[in-house]
Amino acid sequence: LHTLDLSYNCLTALPFSHEEAPGTLAHLSLRRNYLPNNCSLTPMAALSKLETLDLTGNRLTNLPADLFASLSNLRTLYLGSN
């Protein structure tokens, strides 16, 4: 799995756990869901090949400081309209 687009799905949590995270994923769009500020984004740490992450239009006002520590391939991050 290279690209996963879960935009506009009314998600309130990530649809996978740390153990279930698709390790080959390079592009993930969670645009325009309902991810709340207290949503656990910990499973994203397993996405070590992730290059693009779109979190536009959710309900996020802050992110854990260590969220991106393991995402060394991340090149593009969209956070608008949160």
Side-chain angles (χ1 to χ4, degrees):
L1 187 61
H2 184 264
T3 301
L4 181 59
D5 188 346
L6 295 172
S7 302
Y8 300 92
N9 277 291
C10 301
L11 298 175
T12 57
L14 291 181
F16 51 83
S17 68
H18 192 289
E19 294 79 24
E20 301 168 329
T24 59
L25 198 61
H27 307 281
L28 175 60
S29 179
L30 294 167
R31 174 184 285 264
R32 300 285 178 203
N33 280 289
Y34 297 109
L35 298 177
N37 200 44
N38 63 349
C39 173
S40 174
L41 299 175
T42 304
M44 281 196 210
L47 303 175
S48 61
K49 297 192 184 312
L50 197 64
E51 297 174 14
T52 305
L53 176 59
D54 188 350
L55 293 170
T56 301
N58 283 281
R59 297 178 177 171
L60 304 170
T61 57
N62 60 48
L63 297 171
D66 62 346
L67 176 63
F68 306 107
S70 65
L71 302 179
S72 60
N73 290 313
L74 191 66
R75 302 290 177 252
T76 308
L77 176 63
Y78 298 101
L79 293 172
S81 299
N82 273 290

